Amino acid sequence: MTLNAVTHSLPPIRSLLSDTAKTIAQTICLHQIGKTGDTIMAKYECMVCGWVYDEDVGDPDSGIAAGTKFADLPDDWVCPMCGASKEDFEEI
Ligand SMILES: [Zn+2]
């Protein structure tokens, strides 16, 4: 393949790439908008068993509604997997 042939084959590839890049950029942008609402959901991991409390999901099995902040969990709430207390969780 000559350099000339390569140069000629570039424009269509470039426009394809640029469309893909735009789509990715928009996706990332939307993703970030979703994350920058008034409530930023955090995740906390149980240091004992590795179970993760996701504020976005809550802990339905324990009656904790989705969107409940870790800080708002009742003091007697424990890890559903191993029974560790809130003090054994760390934000991730
Ligand atoms: Zn645990």
Side-chain angles (χ1 to χ4, degrees), residues 46 48-51 79 81-84 89:
C46 175
V48 178
C49 72
W51 184 84
C79 172
M81 287 296 282
C82 70
F89 278 75

Side-chain angles (χ1 to χ4, degrees), residues 24-85:
I24 292 170
Q26 280 167 355
T27 308
I28 292 170
C29 192
L30 284 174
H31 192 63
Q32 281 174 346
I33 290 168
K35 286 219 160 190
T36 50
D38 10 327
T39 47
I40 296 162
M41 292 302 169
K43 289 180 181 171
Y44 292 80
E45 183 178 5
C46 175
M47 293 294 109
V48 178
C49 72
W51 184 84
V52 173
Y53 177 79
D54 187 339
E55 292 181 340
D56 229 356
V57 177
D59 180 16
D61 291 341
S62 304
I64 306 297
T68 303
K69 291 277 183 198
F70 187 78
D72 292 336
L73 287 172
D75 287 336
D76 60 354
W77 179 87
V78 293
C79 172
M81 287 296 282
C82 70
S85 63

